[in-house]
Amino acid sequence: MNKKERYAAFLDHFTAVLPEAETELQYNNPYELLVAVVLSAQCTDVRINKVTPALFRDYPSPEFLASSNFDELFPYIRSVSYPNNKTKHLLGLGKMLVEDFNLEIPSSIEELQKLPGVGRKTANVVASVIYNQPTMAVDTHVFRVSKRLGLVTQTAKTPLEVEKQLVRHIPEEHIPKAHHWLILHGRYTCLARKPKCDQCDITHFCKYFDKNGV
Ligand code: SF4
């Protein structure tokens, strides 16, 4: 199977079985999604979904973050990874949204990356989920699964290289969904240490399976 056929099989399969794939983070508006994605760095969506209801109740908009302080905010997110840094990021993010962005969540990757705690991956997720832009956020699942499937070359060493290869081959209209397909497949089936190949329904176009079997 060549790369073109592999991409076609990937798109055919997931369009059929997961047409409505979306983030597992819970949010009600762009501001909440941005905060949730910042918090989710190096942490699980399950953990983030446990802390955000109280956080969003008491910090319903950027102004509330902007006028808060470390001691007030920290308790809300103490159970997520890197709570010290993330508390500082959220305080700075609220301030910047108020002072520089007129409370609007920016749509461009460049502007999003100016916000504290927002790197390229977070910016890509926000642009994709909120603005449906054809951006591909590459986290550890996307990085691993796209390589195993053979969608990107084994020589791709950085998330940016993987992102560029995926974006080059996946039609724009499928990119926001493809991001979630790769994440969900990596989270539940194509696990990092022990992929569940015996339960996987895409063995027919997986390069790793082709080479290693079950
Ligand atoms: S066959 Fe195995 S390696 Fe390939 S995608 Fe499925 S779980 Fe991952």
Side-chain angles (χ1 to χ4, degrees), residues 78-203:
R78 72 162 74 242
S79 65
V80 309
S81 61
Y82 307 107
N84 286 305
N85 277 345
K86 288 178 181 174
T87 299
K88 289 179 204 158
H89 286 152
L90 290 190
L91 293 171
L93 180 147
K95 204 159 174 274
M96 199 178 258
L97 285 174
V98 169
E99 292 176 0
D100 300 344
F101 291 102
N102 200 23
L103 302 177
E104 291 284 323
I105 308 303
S107 59
S108 82
I109 302 296
E110 290 69 29
E111 289 203 313
L112 280 163
Q113 285 187 99
K114 289 180 186 162
L115 296 166
V118 179
R120 187 173 179 89
K121 177 166 73 75
T122 300
N124 278 340
V125 173
V126 172
S128 161
V129 174
I130 297 178
Y131 298 109
N132 207 29
Q133 286 183 24
T135 57
M136 173 61 73
V138 177
D139 71 351
T140 178
H141 298 304
V142 175
F143 192 85
R144 177 180 73 256
V145 177
S146 59
K147 279 190 163 195
R148 281 187 181 156
L149 287 176
L151 297 177
V152 304
T153 56
Q154 291 305 316
T155 51
K157 291 282 180 271
T158 64
L160 187 57
E161 283 178 67
V162 168
E163 176 188 326
K164 282 183 175 166
Q165 289 191 31
L166 289 172
V167 167
R168 199 180 313 136
H169 289 97
I170 299 174
E172 279 198 2
E173 68 273 22
H174 290 299
I175 290 176
K177 290 267 187 279
H179 160 72
H180 298 303
W181 293 335
L182 291 165
I183 287 185
L184 293 171
H185 197 67
R187 190 174 285 164
Y188 297 110
T189 307
C190 194
L191 310 185
R193 264 184 263 166
K194 219 171 169 217
K196 298 178 182 173
C197 301
D198 54 336
Q199 296 167 34
C200 182
D201 50 5
I202 57 173
T203 52

